[in-house]
Amino acid sequence: MTLTKPARVRFAPSPTGRLHLGGARTALYDYLIARQSGGQFVLRIEDTDRKRFLPGAEQEFMDALHWLGLQWDEGPDIGGPYGPYRQSERKEIYLQYAQQLVESGHAYPCFCTPERLEKLRSEQQARKQQPRYDGHCRNIPPEEAAARVAAGEPHVIRFKMPRDGSVTCHDLIRGDITYRNDQLDDSILVKSDGWALYHLAAMVDDHLMKITHVLRGAEWLPTFPLHVHVYRAFGWEQPEWVHLSLFLKPSGKGKMSKRDAAELMKDGRSVYITDLRGLGYIPEAVNNWAALMGWSYDDHTEFFTLADLVEKFDIRRLNPSPAAINFSKLDHFNGLHIRHLDQEDLLRRVKPFFEQAGYHPDDATLRKMMPILQPRLKTLDDAPVVAGFFFREEVEPDPQRLVPKKVTPPQALEAAKRLYEVLSALPEVTLESGEQPVRALAEEMGLKAGALFGILREAVTGQAVSPPIFETMEIIGKETVLKRLQHAIEILETMQN
RNA sequence: GCCCCCAUCGUCUAGGGGACCAGGACGUAGCCCUUUCAAGGCUAAGACCGGAGUUCGAAUCUCCGUGGGGGCACCA
């Protein structure tokens, strides 16, 4: 716990895509700060760009956040004292504040056409200059500009950036950053269609919603001075600005593109939260993993539950340098958190993955499987591949593997038959009742125990690797074990000819 | 081209002048355990980008390079 005053933080996604790792980590930190300080976590939808709006995206974001366990206190679905929480429902508010800026001389209407701007930009680029607005409409007398606006002439509202001096902006993890004003642009605040841009809308909302800490990606650093200028123009007190380090692709070369993201999916990995869920990752692991990219607690503690994070997260320990995404570490955390799950909990989570793979698991069997399954799972969707044979009607042993190295087919057949005899003589097959007789059999036949276990494993599971075979047989039951062994014997018999 | 950020093992990081011949984790390799596979335990290899300063002393502070990254929209 590092914050003593209640913090109001907001996660403000744009419904143009899906929640990805970077956003999830920002939301996580937001959540942690709000919870540990007894403040509020606000969800705000930044949907002022009507062209890029994606139907369903808002719901997708909320689903993903819910899955991660990051419940918000105020948002479009539940309302709150500072609503509405959808920017598309706040259009008039932004216009009103834009007008205020025009009247105070901090902004001005610009009548330049997109065509002129495009031409200007390409000329500047040709001259290897920094592309920016040339101030064409900056000095139109206010009365004249107002008249043109009143006459309905198409226009945007631009911020009137000071031409000299500099701004020093304070970032919580980087300290002061100074920008020269003459390097800054007269950015557009309101588009010609009347919709405010981020530079205005987000500042107005953060102020109106009494946000105390703005956490956002480091890609906002270049426009940081603009935002500080906007705050100053309004005479508002600034929030604490926190620019989170960027996530780089696993190679460390650049940030993730849509294309890279699609490419990742081929390896069973993804930066999209709802994909991670489908891939068998659990939210505990995703949160733990994401929390540690850009933040650390000390020099050795790495396992954290959400509750641990609420308690231990310290905004002052954020790291400014970019981090390459490391999926093998996610696998590690996933295994770790799966092993920490209560067995009933694991059962509930793993069941859908069996069903999805086409099995019809019953809870009683599942429950018996948990102890042997739990330490073997990296992801939940590993479950049907390592343990699907529990629910298969029949298992198809591989004839080659039924005959281990240094064992002849006739020996293997003999072994299978004797195994059948030994096991059928048992009241039931368990580790306690079965292991010694089987080992004795191996010795009697002059086979290595491992070879005999191998034959048994292949016959019963149809796999070369499986959970320990006696525990497995105990769960499957003597009857099924014998049936499968009989099937293996038949396969071995046909091999003899 | 311009502006901004960053810089410790392959990766995520601890380190905020002497406690560092730099600690942890993932991954990799080996060993132990072992009926296979995991899990678990142990061990190993592996880093302070370079150069100047400041200082008795620098991974830690300053500057300059270099490298990497981000941004330069009527997107967010």
Side-chain angles (χ1 to χ4, degrees), chain A residues 8-11 40-44 74 85 209 211:
Chain A
R8 282 184 59 81
V9 292
R10 106 272 119 132
F11 179 58
Q40 293 80 36
F41 175 37
V42 178
L43 176 63
R44 184 173 74 219
E74 298 169 26
Y85 293 92
M209 295 180 181
I211 299 303

Side-chain angles (χ1 to χ4, degrees), chain A residues 163-210:
Chain A
R163 282 278 162 87
D164 45 40
S166 61
V167 231
T168 295
C169 307
H170 188 80
D171 175 76
L172 191 77
I173 62 189
R174 273 161 267 258
D176 287 341
I177 305 172
T178 300
Y179 303 74
R180 282 172 51 177
N181 289 154
D182 63 8
Q183 296 293 335
L184 273 21
D185 206 357
D186 279 8
S187 300
I188 293 174
L189 263 20
V190 179
K191 294 187 280 182
S192 56
D193 61 7
W195 284 100
L197 255 20
Y198 177 92
H199 307 310
L200 204 227
M203 302 309 115
V204 168
D205 286 346
D206 286 343
H207 174 254
L208 260 22
M209 295 180 181
K210 299 196 160 51

